[in-house]
Amino acid sequence: MSYDDLELKKPIESDDYEECSGFIVCSIENIMKDAMDSGHNKIIINTNLKLGIPMENVNKIAGPFIEAWAFERFCDALEDENNSYQLMNVEAGERLNMADVILQFQKVRKRQSSVTANVDVKATSKDIVNSGKSPNITSFARIRSAYVTDPDYIFIILSIKHKVFSSRDENTKMMMGVMEIVDFNAYDLKYLSDSDISYNPALGTGQIQIKDIHYVTHQKRTTWEFCELLDRKFIASNKGYNQWLKYAEKNNWIK
């Protein structure tokens, strides 16, 4: 039986999915922009190394620092008495969770009064060519199943670009590394163009990747169309249809 012959579960998102997605992306971008414009865009890293942070490998340690910085900025926005982002709750994603941060915003909808964003924070270096250019996003089977379980699942990629420099503290004589946030982009994974998304068969069920996180284009599609896109890219890989079918049966994608 071929892929087209199968009776697959077809998730159908709410009528206001696109509106909710745009609202979330705009809110996240405003939080990041306001944090940077107010001077909260530096991470100070003190070290007793004579030469400071090894610049040629700084991209290997940047990820956890950038994730922690982003989480704190969301917490600041939540605690701000003048919170204009309608942010209701901020949670850190548990270990091995697809998202680094889970955000909940207040939004009037037909049957709900809130909308949730699962945010994956990706760090890229402005100093190192191709650093973080094609990151792994998440496991194929996990993200495919997430959209079947919740057709309104919103998975946001928050790409944060940074520069790093070192200076010596004249009082302590210790080297002080400064990781400075210089740019960012936020977008809904489901709305990335076909050509921007690739599938890497390595590691478990394989990884969904973005070919070039610095240059992406948008393509509106339904949740089911996105599931079909993921399936096509998996089946076209060396894992093929038979392996896809095993995952489909295991994860209950077939009626």
Side-chain angles (χ1 to χ4, degrees), residues 117-203:
N118 300 271
V119 183
D120 186 18
V121 180
K122 295 299 180 187
T124 63
S125 173
K126 192 172 178 64
D127 302 309
I128 302 174
V129 178
N130 293 330
S131 166
K133 175 185 175 182
S134 303
N136 286 332
I137 300 302
T138 187
S139 156
F140 162 76
R142 292 183 71 188
I143 194 69
R144 174 69 163 79
S145 295
Y147 284 108
V148 173
T149 302
D150 179 9
D152 289 327
Y153 188 75
I154 299 179
F155 193 79
I156 303 296
I157 309 298
L158 176 57
S159 172
I160 297 179
K161 190 175 290 189
H162 60 86
K163 290 176 65 72
V164 177
F165 60 89
S166 295
S167 61
R168 189 180 299 279
D169 187 307
E170 293 304 321
N171 295 321
T172 64
K173 303 303 179 184
M174 292 178 64
M175 289 300 292
M176 182 177 67
V178 180
M179 192 172 290
E180 190 171 38
I181 314 304
V182 296
D183 201 4
F184 66 90
N185 283 293
Y187 37 82
D188 188 335
L189 175 65
K190 196 177 90 172
Y191 286 154
L192 290 186
S193 72
D194 192 324
S195 60
D196 286 320
I197 299 172
S198 61
Y199 170 75
N200 180 356
L203 301 175

Side-chain angles (χ1 to χ4, degrees), residues 98-117:
M98 288 191 292
D100 297 310
V101 186
I102 300 170
L103 305 176
Q104 191 173 37
F105 294 89
Q106 183 176 7
K107 190 177 192 308
V108 177
R109 307 173 64 186
K110 286 183 179 179
R111 300 179 182 177
Q112 299 181 52
S113 57
S114 66
V115 62
T116 301

Side-chain angles (χ1 to χ4, degrees), residues 194-254:
D194 192 324
S195 60
D196 286 320
I197 299 172
S198 61
Y199 170 75
N200 180 356
L203 301 175
T205 64
Q207 290 284 314
I208 301 303
Q209 292 182 324
I210 296 178
K211 291 182 181 179
D212 189 344
I213 200 167
H214 303 304
Y215 299 97
V216 298
T217 53
H218 297 81
Q219 180 179 338
K220 296 295 173 66
R221 57 168 68 87
T222 66
T223 300
W224 170 237
E225 287 171 342
F226 187 63
C227 289
E228 286 186 301
L229 169 66
L230 297 179
D231 290 344
R232 288 201 313 271
K233 289 183 179 290
F234 182 100
I235 293 170
S237 74
N238 57 19
K239 289 198 171 185
Y241 172 74
N242 289 334
Q243 184 60 64
W244 174 88
L245 185 59
K246 290 180 181 178
Y247 290 141
E249 293 171 341
K250 178 181 178 181
N251 293 282
N252 299 312
W253 301 340
I254 302 172

Side-chain angles (χ1 to χ4, degrees), residues 1 3-9 253-255:
M1 185 176 289
Y3 179 86
D4 292 332
D5 294 327
L6 295 172
E7 190 175 4
L8 296 171
K9 294 179 180 178
W253 301 340
I254 302 172
K255 284 188 179 180

Side-chain angles (χ1 to χ4, degrees), residues 45 53-54 57-66 123 162 179:
I45 307 170
I53 298 175
N57 292 315
V58 70
N59 58 309
K60 295 180 180 179
I61 65 170
F65 283 103
I66 296 297
H162 60 86
M179 192 172 290

Side-chain angles (χ1 to χ4, degrees), residues 20-43:
C20 290
S21 172
F23 167 75
I24 284 175
V25 169
C26 183
S27 297
I28 290 174
E29 288 182 338
N30 285 337
I31 292 171
M32 293 292 102
K33 179 180 181 298
D34 290 346
M36 293 179 64
D37 290 348
S38 61
H40 294 93
N41 65 324
K42 294 182 177 64
I43 303 170

